PDB file of all heavy atoms in Angstrom:
ATOM      1  N   SER A   1      11.936  -3.585  -0.132  1.00 95.00           N
ATOM      2  CA  SER A   1      12.591  -2.785  -1.152  1.00 95.00           C
ATOM      3  C   SER A   1      11.537  -2.034  -1.966  1.00 95.00           C
ATOM      4  O   SER A   1      10.362  -2.417  -1.996  1.00 95.00           O
ATOM      5  CB  SER A   1      13.424  -3.670  -2.084  1.00 95.00           C
ATOM      6  OG  SER A   1      12.563  -4.518  -2.845  1.00 95.00           O
ATOM      7  N   LEU A   2      11.938  -0.986  -2.642  1.00 95.00           N
ATOM      8  CA  LEU A   2      10.979  -0.218  -3.438  1.00 95.00           C
ATOM      9  C   LEU A   2      10.347  -1.089  -4.518  1.00 95.00           C
ATOM     10  O   LEU A   2       9.152  -0.970  -4.803  1.00 95.00           O
ATOM     11  CB  LEU A   2      11.668   0.997  -4.061  1.00 95.00           C
ATOM     12  CG  LEU A   2      12.045   2.102  -3.062  1.00 95.00           C
ATOM     13  CD1 LEU A   2      12.806   3.220  -3.758  1.00 95.00           C
ATOM     14  CD2 LEU A   2      10.806   2.684  -2.360  1.00 95.00           C
ATOM     15  N   ASN A   3      11.119  -2.005  -5.096  1.00 95.00           N
ATOM     16  CA  ASN A   3      10.559  -2.883  -6.126  1.00 95.00           C
ATOM     17  C   ASN A   3       9.514  -3.811  -5.539  1.00 95.00           C
ATOM     18  O   ASN A   3       8.448  -4.042  -6.151  1.00 95.00           O
ATOM     19  CB  ASN A   3      11.659  -3.694  -6.795  1.00 95.00           C
ATOM     20  CG  ASN A   3      12.457  -2.894  -7.801  1.00 95.00           C
ATOM     21  OD1 ASN A   3      11.968  -1.897  -8.330  1.00 95.00           O
ATOM     22  ND2 ASN A   3      13.679  -3.319  -8.088  1.00 95.00           N
ATOM     23  N   ASN A   4       9.773  -4.346  -4.354  1.00 96.00           N
ATOM     24  CA  ASN A   4       8.774  -5.222  -3.726  1.00 96.00           C
ATOM     25  C   ASN A   4       7.566  -4.441  -3.236  1.00 96.00           C
ATOM     26  O   ASN A   4       6.446  -4.947  -3.230  1.00 96.00           O
ATOM     27  CB  ASN A   4       9.404  -6.014  -2.584  1.00 96.00           C
ATOM     28  CG  ASN A   4      10.095  -7.281  -3.064  1.00 96.00           C
ATOM     29  OD1 ASN A   4       9.628  -7.931  -3.996  1.00 96.00           O
ATOM     30  ND2 ASN A   4      11.205  -7.638  -2.425  1.00 96.00           N
ATOM     31  N   LEU A   5       7.774  -3.183  -2.826  1.00 97.00           N
ATOM     32  CA  LEU A   5       6.626  -2.350  -2.467  1.00 97.00           C
ATOM     33  C   LEU A   5       5.751  -2.091  -3.677  1.00 97.00           C
ATOM     34  O   LEU A   5       4.523  -2.125  -3.598  1.00 97.00           O
ATOM     35  CB  LEU A   5       7.117  -1.027  -1.871  1.00 97.00           C
ATOM     36  CG  LEU A   5       7.513  -1.062  -0.390  1.00 97.00           C
ATOM     37  CD1 LEU A   5       8.134   0.270   0.025  1.00 97.00           C
ATOM     38  CD2 LEU A   5       6.309  -1.386   0.498  1.00 97.00           C
ATOM     39  N   LYS A   6       6.401  -1.839  -4.815  1.00 97.00           N
ATOM     40  CA  LYS A   6       5.620  -1.647  -6.045  1.00 97.00           C
ATOM     41  C   LYS A   6       4.833  -2.898  -6.393  1.00 97.00           C
ATOM     42  O   LYS A   6       3.677  -2.832  -6.811  1.00 97.00           O
ATOM     43  CB  LYS A   6       6.561  -1.250  -7.194  1.00 97.00           C
ATOM     44  CG  LYS A   6       7.141   0.149  -7.038  1.00 97.00           C
ATOM     45  CD  LYS A   6       8.188   0.444  -8.111  1.00 97.00           C
ATOM     46  CE  LYS A   6       8.826   1.823  -7.897  1.00 97.00           C
ATOM     47  NZ  LYS A   6       9.889   2.100  -8.890  1.00 97.00           N
ATOM     48  N   LYS A   7       5.459  -4.065  -6.205  1.00 97.00           N
ATOM     49  CA  LYS A   7       4.773  -5.335  -6.452  1.00 97.00           C
ATOM     50  C   LYS A   7       3.586  -5.502  -5.498  1.00 97.00           C
ATOM     51  O   LYS A   7       2.493  -5.913  -5.907  1.00 97.00           O
ATOM     52  CB  LYS A   7       5.752  -6.502  -6.279  1.00 97.00           C
ATOM     53  CG  LYS A   7       5.131  -7.873  -6.527  1.00 97.00           C
ATOM     54  CD  LYS A   7       6.185  -8.968  -6.424  1.00 97.00           C
ATOM     55  CE  LYS A   7       5.573 -10.350  -6.654  1.00 97.00           C
ATOM     56  NZ  LYS A   7       6.590 -11.427  -6.623  1.00 97.00           N
ATOM     57  N   LEU A   8       3.784  -5.124  -4.219  1.00 98.00           N
ATOM     58  CA  LEU A   8       2.696  -5.199  -3.227  1.00 98.00           C
ATOM     59  C   LEU A   8       1.529  -4.315  -3.657  1.00 98.00           C
ATOM     60  O   LEU A   8       0.372  -4.753  -3.635  1.00 98.00           O
ATOM     61  CB  LEU A   8       3.208  -4.764  -1.856  1.00 98.00           C
ATOM     62  CG  LEU A   8       2.158  -4.604  -0.759  1.00 98.00           C
ATOM     63  CD1 LEU A   8       1.441  -5.912  -0.461  1.00 98.00           C
ATOM     64  CD2 LEU A   8       2.787  -4.047   0.519  1.00 98.00           C
ATOM     65  N   PHE A   9       1.809  -3.106  -4.062  1.00 98.00           N
ATOM     66  CA  PHE A   9       0.725  -2.189  -4.452  1.00 98.00           C
ATOM     67  C   PHE A   9       0.026  -2.651  -5.731  1.00 98.00           C
ATOM     68  O   PHE A   9      -1.181  -2.422  -5.894  1.00 98.00           O
ATOM     69  CB  PHE A   9       1.260  -0.767  -4.587  1.00 98.00           C
ATOM     70  CG  PHE A   9       1.571  -0.118  -3.258  1.00 98.00           C
ATOM     71  CD1 PHE A   9       2.836   0.404  -2.990  1.00 98.00           C
ATOM     72  CD2 PHE A   9       0.614  -0.037  -2.269  1.00 98.00           C
ATOM     73  CE1 PHE A   9       3.128   0.988  -1.776  1.00 98.00           C
ATOM     74  CE2 PHE A   9       0.886   0.539  -1.030  1.00 98.00           C
ATOM     75  CZ  PHE A   9       2.157   1.052  -0.785  1.00 98.00           C
ATOM     76  N   GLU A  10       0.747  -3.312  -6.614  1.00 98.00           N
ATOM     77  CA  GLU A  10       0.112  -3.881  -7.802  1.00 98.00           C
ATOM     78  C   GLU A  10      -0.878  -4.972  -7.401  1.00 98.00           C
ATOM     79  O   GLU A  10      -1.981  -5.082  -7.951  1.00 98.00           O
ATOM     80  CB  GLU A  10       1.158  -4.451  -8.754  1.00 98.00           C
ATOM     81  CG  GLU A  10       1.965  -3.393  -9.498  1.00 98.00           C
ATOM     82  CD  GLU A  10       3.112  -3.981 -10.293  1.00 98.00           C
ATOM     83  OE1 GLU A  10       3.219  -5.252 -10.347  1.00 98.00           O
ATOM     84  OE2 GLU A  10       3.921  -3.205 -10.863  1.00 98.00           O
ATOM     85  N   ILE A  11      -0.490  -5.790  -6.413  1.00 98.00           N
ATOM     86  CA  ILE A  11      -1.381  -6.832  -5.901  1.00 98.00           C
ATOM     87  C   ILE A  11      -2.644  -6.219  -5.306  1.00 98.00           C
ATOM     88  O   ILE A  11      -3.760  -6.743  -5.472  1.00 98.00           O
ATOM     89  CB  ILE A  11      -0.641  -7.680  -4.843  1.00 98.00           C
ATOM     90  CG1 ILE A  11       0.463  -8.489  -5.503  1.00 98.00           C
ATOM     91  CG2 ILE A  11      -1.618  -8.584  -4.078  1.00 98.00           C
ATOM     92  CD1 ILE A  11       1.434  -9.139  -4.518  1.00 98.00           C
ATOM     93  N   LEU A  12      -2.466  -5.082  -4.623  1.00 98.00           N
ATOM     94  CA  LEU A  12      -3.599  -4.476  -3.902  1.00 98.00           C
ATOM     95  C   LEU A  12      -4.501  -3.615  -4.803  1.00 98.00           C
ATOM     96  O   LEU A  12      -5.535  -3.142  -4.354  1.00 98.00           O
ATOM     97  CB  LEU A  12      -3.070  -3.594  -2.760  1.00 98.00           C
ATOM     98  CG  LEU A  12      -2.285  -4.343  -1.663  1.00 98.00           C
ATOM     99  CD1 LEU A  12      -1.855  -3.380  -0.576  1.00 98.00           C
ATOM    100  CD2 LEU A  12      -3.094  -5.487  -1.085  1.00 98.00           C
ATOM    101  N   GLU A  13      -4.109  -3.471  -6.066  1.00 97.00           N
ATOM    102  CA  GLU A  13      -4.935  -2.673  -6.976  1.00 97.00           C
ATOM    103  C   GLU A  13      -6.328  -3.247  -7.150  1.00 97.00           C
ATOM    104  O   GLU A  13      -7.278  -2.533  -7.420  1.00 97.00           O
ATOM    105  CB  GLU A  13      -4.252  -2.554  -8.341  1.00 97.00           C
ATOM    106  CG  GLU A  13      -3.104  -1.553  -8.373  1.00 97.00           C
ATOM    107  CD  GLU A  13      -2.444  -1.484  -9.735  1.00 97.00           C
ATOM    108  OE1 GLU A  13      -2.888  -2.232 -10.644  1.00 97.00           O
ATOM    109  OE2 GLU A  13      -1.494  -0.696  -9.887  1.00 97.00           O
ATOM    110  N   LYS A  14      -6.469  -4.572  -6.958  1.00 97.00           N
ATOM    111  CA  LYS A  14      -7.780  -5.211  -7.125  1.00 97.00           C
ATOM    112  C   LYS A  14      -8.737  -4.891  -5.972  1.00 97.00           C
ATOM    113  O   LYS A  14      -9.935  -5.100  -6.083  1.00 97.00           O
ATOM    114  CB  LYS A  14      -7.615  -6.720  -7.272  1.00 97.00           C
ATOM    115  CG  LYS A  14      -6.996  -7.413  -6.078  1.00 97.00           C
ATOM    116  CD  LYS A  14      -6.926  -8.921  -6.243  1.00 97.00           C
ATOM    117  CE  LYS A  14      -6.075  -9.337  -7.417  1.00 97.00           C
ATOM    118  NZ  LYS A  14      -4.626  -9.064  -7.228  1.00 97.00           N
ATOM    119  N   ILE A  15      -8.207  -4.386  -4.865  1.00 98.00           N
ATOM    120  CA  ILE A  15      -9.065  -4.061  -3.720  1.00 98.00           C
ATOM    121  C   ILE A  15      -9.698  -2.693  -3.924  1.00 98.00           C
ATOM    122  O   ILE A  15      -8.996  -1.691  -4.123  1.00 98.00           O
ATOM    123  CB  ILE A  15      -8.256  -4.109  -2.405  1.00 98.00           C
ATOM    124  CG1 ILE A  15      -7.809  -5.545  -2.111  1.00 98.00           C
ATOM    125  CG2 ILE A  15      -9.078  -3.563  -1.238  1.00 98.00           C
ATOM    126  CD1 ILE A  15      -7.022  -5.723  -0.836  1.00 98.00           C
ATOM    127  N   LYS A  16     -11.007  -2.654  -3.891  1.00 98.00           N
ATOM    128  CA  LYS A  16     -11.735  -1.415  -4.126  1.00 98.00           C
ATOM    129  C   LYS A  16     -11.860  -0.610  -2.821  1.00 98.00           C
ATOM    130  O   LYS A  16     -12.121  -1.195  -1.776  1.00 98.00           O
ATOM    131  CB  LYS A  16     -13.138  -1.714  -4.671  1.00 98.00           C
ATOM    132  CG  LYS A  16     -13.147  -2.514  -5.955  1.00 98.00           C
ATOM    133  CD  LYS A  16     -14.566  -2.936  -6.321  1.00 98.00           C
ATOM    134  CE  LYS A  16     -14.574  -3.858  -7.531  1.00 98.00           C
ATOM    135  NZ  LYS A  16     -15.957  -4.366  -7.810  1.00 98.00           N
ATOM    136  N   LEU A  17     -11.668   0.684  -2.929  1.00 98.00           N
ATOM    137  CA  LEU A  17     -11.762   1.558  -1.751  1.00 98.00           C
ATOM    138  C   LEU A  17     -12.894   2.570  -1.940  1.00 98.00           C
ATOM    139  O   LEU A  17     -13.126   3.061  -3.043  1.00 98.00           O
ATOM    140  CB  LEU A  17     -10.434   2.299  -1.536  1.00 98.00           C
ATOM    141  CG  LEU A  17      -9.227   1.407  -1.190  1.00 98.00           C
ATOM    142  CD1 LEU A  17      -7.952   2.239  -1.159  1.00 98.00           C
ATOM    143  CD2 LEU A  17      -9.429   0.687   0.128  1.00 98.00           C
ATOM    144  N   SER A  18     -13.590   2.857  -0.840  1.00 98.00           N
ATOM    145  CA  SER A  18     -14.663   3.842  -0.875  1.00 98.00           C
ATOM    146  C   SER A  18     -14.106   5.247  -1.042  1.00 98.00           C
ATOM    147  O   SER A  18     -12.900   5.482  -0.942  1.00 98.00           O
ATOM    148  CB  SER A  18     -15.497   3.766   0.413  1.00 98.00           C
ATOM    149  OG  SER A  18     -14.715   4.240   1.500  1.00 98.00           O
ATOM    150  N   LYS A  19     -14.976   6.214  -1.278  1.00 97.00           N
ATOM    151  CA  LYS A  19     -14.535   7.602  -1.470  1.00 97.00           C
ATOM    152  C   LYS A  19     -13.947   8.199  -0.191  1.00 97.00           C
ATOM    153  O   LYS A  19     -13.135   9.131  -0.250  1.00 97.00           O
ATOM    154  CB  LYS A  19     -15.707   8.454  -1.959  1.00 97.00           C
ATOM    155  CG  LYS A  19     -16.156   8.110  -3.366  1.00 97.00           C
ATOM    156  CD  LYS A  19     -17.322   8.975  -3.811  1.00 97.00           C
ATOM    157  CE  LYS A  19     -17.756   8.603  -5.224  1.00 97.00           C
ATOM    158  NZ  LYS A  19     -18.929   9.417  -5.678  1.00 97.00           N
ATOM    159  N   THR A  20     -14.352   7.690   0.957  1.00 97.00           N
ATOM    160  CA  THR A  20     -13.882   8.230   2.240  1.00 97.00           C
ATOM    161  C   THR A  20     -12.938   7.240   2.936  1.00 97.00           C
ATOM    162  O   THR A  20     -12.919   7.160   4.161  1.00 97.00           O
ATOM    163  CB  THR A  20     -15.066   8.560   3.164  1.00 97.00           C
ATOM    164  OG1 THR A  20     -15.855   7.368   3.369  1.00 97.00           O
ATOM    165  CG2 THR A  20     -15.946   9.640   2.552  1.00 97.00           C
ATOM    166  N   TYR A  21     -12.166   6.503   2.169  1.00 98.00           N
ATOM    167  CA  TYR A  21     -11.334   5.436   2.711  1.00 98.00           C
ATOM    168  C   TYR A  21     -10.220   5.961   3.614  1.00 98.00           C
ATOM    169  O   TYR A  21      -9.783   7.103   3.511  1.00 98.00           O
ATOM    170  CB  TYR A  21     -10.730   4.613   1.571  1.00 98.00           C
ATOM    171  CG  TYR A  21      -9.592   5.314   0.822  1.00 98.00           C
ATOM    172  CD1 TYR A  21      -8.271   5.181   1.252  1.00 98.00           C
ATOM    173  CD2 TYR A  21      -9.849   6.094  -0.300  1.00 98.00           C
ATOM    174  CE1 TYR A  21      -7.243   5.831   0.587  1.00 98.00           C
ATOM    175  CE2 TYR A  21      -8.823   6.730  -0.965  1.00 98.00           C
ATOM    176  CZ  TYR A  21      -7.521   6.585  -0.526  1.00 98.00           C
ATOM    177  OH  TYR A  21      -6.487   7.225  -1.186  1.00 98.00           O
ATOM    178  N   GLU A  22      -9.745   5.049   4.469  1.00 98.00           N
ATOM    179  CA  GLU A  22      -8.543   5.271   5.278  1.00 98.00           C
ATOM    180  C   GLU A  22      -7.587   4.121   4.941  1.00 98.00           C
ATOM    181  O   GLU A  22      -7.922   2.951   5.108  1.00 98.00           O
ATOM    182  CB  GLU A  22      -8.891   5.248   6.764  1.00 98.00           C
ATOM    183  CG  GLU A  22      -7.662   5.345   7.700  1.00 98.00           C
ATOM    184  CD  GLU A  22      -8.056   5.010   9.135  1.00 98.00           C
ATOM    185  OE1 GLU A  22      -8.423   5.944   9.860  1.00 98.00           O
ATOM    186  OE2 GLU A  22      -7.976   3.812   9.519  1.00 98.00           O
ATOM    187  N   PHE A  23      -6.394   4.449   4.453  1.00 98.00           N
ATOM    188  CA  PHE A  23      -5.396   3.452   4.044  1.00 98.00           C
ATOM    189  C   PHE A  23      -4.117   3.721   4.834  1.00 98.00           C
ATOM    190  O   PHE A  23      -3.398   4.685   4.568  1.00 98.00           O
ATOM    191  CB  PHE A  23      -5.175   3.559   2.526  1.00 98.00           C
ATOM    192  CG  PHE A  23      -4.254   2.506   1.945  1.00 98.00           C
ATOM    193  CD1 PHE A  23      -4.104   2.426   0.577  1.00 98.00           C
ATOM    194  CD2 PHE A  23      -3.554   1.599   2.726  1.00 98.00           C
ATOM    195  CE1 PHE A  23      -3.263   1.468  -0.007  1.00 98.00           C
ATOM    196  CE2 PHE A  23      -2.724   0.650   2.165  1.00 98.00           C
ATOM    197  CZ  PHE A  23      -2.572   0.582   0.789  1.00 98.00           C
ATOM    198  N   THR A  24      -3.857   2.849   5.817  1.00 98.00           N
ATOM    199  CA  THR A  24      -2.732   3.034   6.729  1.00 98.00           C
ATOM    200  C   THR A  24      -1.556   2.133   6.340  1.00 98.00           C
ATOM    201  O   THR A  24      -1.752   0.965   5.982  1.00 98.00           O
ATOM    202  CB  THR A  24      -3.154   2.716   8.181  1.00 98.00           C
ATOM    203  OG1 THR A  24      -4.259   3.537   8.552  1.00 98.00           O
ATOM    204  CG2 THR A  24      -1.991   2.963   9.140  1.00 98.00           C
ATOM    205  N   PHE A  25      -0.358   2.670   6.481  1.00 98.00           N
ATOM    206  CA  PHE A  25       0.870   1.921   6.192  1.00 98.00           C
ATOM    207  C   PHE A  25       1.829   2.143   7.344  1.00 98.00           C
ATOM    208  O   PHE A  25       2.133   3.270   7.712  1.00 98.00           O
ATOM    209  CB  PHE A  25       1.496   2.419   4.883  1.00 98.00           C
ATOM    210  CG  PHE A  25       2.669   1.626   4.411  1.00 98.00           C
ATOM    211  CD1 PHE A  25       2.505   0.581   3.509  1.00 98.00           C
ATOM    212  CD2 PHE A  25       3.958   1.916   4.823  1.00 98.00           C
ATOM    213  CE1 PHE A  25       3.597  -0.161   3.055  1.00 98.00           C
ATOM    214  CE2 PHE A  25       5.053   1.193   4.384  1.00 98.00           C
ATOM    215  CZ  PHE A  25       4.876   0.151   3.488  1.00 98.00           C
ATOM    216  N   GLU A  26       2.324   1.038   7.956  1.00 97.00           N
ATOM    217  CA  GLU A  26       3.251   1.131   9.074  1.00 97.00           C
ATOM    218  C   GLU A  26       4.692   1.315   8.593  1.00 97.00           C
ATOM    219  O   GLU A  26       5.127   0.653   7.644  1.00 97.00           O
ATOM    220  CB  GLU A  26       3.175  -0.121   9.960  1.00 97.00           C
ATOM    221  CG  GLU A  26       1.901  -0.209  10.778  1.00 97.00           C
ATOM    222  CD  GLU A  26       1.909  -1.393  11.733  1.00 97.00           C
ATOM    223  OE1 GLU A  26       2.832  -2.235  11.648  1.00 97.00           O
ATOM    224  OE2 GLU A  26       0.975  -1.476  12.555  1.00 97.00           O
ATOM    225  N   CYS A  27       5.432   2.203   9.274  1.00 97.00           N
ATOM    226  CA  CYS A  27       6.825   2.484   8.911  1.00 97.00           C
ATOM    227  C   CYS A  27       7.718   2.485  10.147  1.00 97.00           C
ATOM    228  O   CYS A  27       7.292   2.896  11.215  1.00 97.00           O
ATOM    229  CB  CYS A  27       6.943   3.878   8.276  1.00 97.00           C
ATOM    230  SG  CYS A  27       5.993   4.166   6.796  1.00 97.00           S
ATOM    231  N   ASN A  28       8.970   2.078   9.956  1.00 95.00           N
ATOM    232  CA  ASN A  28      10.017   2.414  10.892  1.00 95.00           C
ATOM    233  C   ASN A  28      10.628   3.737  10.471  1.00 95.00           C
ATOM    234  O   ASN A  28      10.809   3.980   9.260  1.00 95.00           O
ATOM    235  CB  ASN A  28      11.093   1.322  10.936  1.00 95.00           C
ATOM    236  CG  ASN A  28      10.849   0.312  12.051  1.00 95.00           C
ATOM    237  OD1 ASN A  28       9.855   0.384  12.770  1.00 95.00           O
ATOM    238  ND2 ASN A  28      11.757  -0.623  12.179  1.00 95.00           N
ATOM    239  N   TYR A  29      10.976   4.559  11.426  1.00 96.00           N
ATOM    240  CA  TYR A  29      11.464   5.896  11.073  1.00 96.00           C
ATOM    241  C   TYR A  29      12.713   5.852  10.199  1.00 96.00           C
ATOM    242  O   TYR A  29      12.891   6.702   9.311  1.00 96.00           O
ATOM    243  CB  TYR A  29      11.732   6.714  12.343  1.00 96.00           C
ATOM    244  CG  TYR A  29      13.048   6.400  13.020  1.00 96.00           C
ATOM    245  CD1 TYR A  29      14.205   7.076  12.674  1.00 96.00           C
ATOM    246  CD2 TYR A  29      13.132   5.405  13.999  1.00 96.00           C
ATOM    247  CE1 TYR A  29      15.421   6.770  13.292  1.00 96.00           C
ATOM    248  CE2 TYR A  29      14.333   5.094  14.603  1.00 96.00           C
ATOM    249  CZ  TYR A  29      15.475   5.789  14.258  1.00 96.00           C
ATOM    250  OH  TYR A  29      16.677   5.486  14.836  1.00 96.00           O
ATOM    251  N   ASP A  30      13.584   4.841  10.405  1.00 94.00           N
ATOM    252  CA  ASP A  30      14.834   4.824   9.656  1.00 94.00           C
ATOM    253  C   ASP A  30      14.672   4.295   8.231  1.00 94.00           C
ATOM    254  O   ASP A  30      15.631   4.267   7.455  1.00 94.00           O
ATOM    255  CB  ASP A  30      15.914   4.022  10.401  1.00 94.00           C
ATOM    256  CG  ASP A  30      15.446   2.670  10.890  1.00 94.00           C
ATOM    257  OD1 ASP A  30      14.233   2.433  10.898  1.00 94.00           O
ATOM    258  OD2 ASP A  30      16.303   1.866  11.285  1.00 94.00           O
TER     259      ASP A  30
END
């Protein structure tokens, strides 16, 4: 759900990314 996705991204805020990072997210088309 969008709320749980927001919670997931809040958890991931502590992970530092480089300036040239690649951040992939898997989706189902529907």
Side-chain angles (χ1 to χ4, degrees):
S1 67
L2 289 176
N3 283 337
N4 275 325
L5 279 173
K6 290 174 183 177
K7 180 176 180 178
L8 172 62
F9 287 124
E10 287 173 5
I11 292 168
L12 298 182
E13 283 179 0
K14 62 177 62 68
I15 294 181
K16 301 172 186 175
L17 296 174
S18 69
K19 292 180 180 178
T20 57
Y21 74 90
E22 175 192 271
F23 185 173
T24 303
F25 187 94
E26 288 185 351
C27 301
N28 265 3
Y29 79 89
D30 48 346

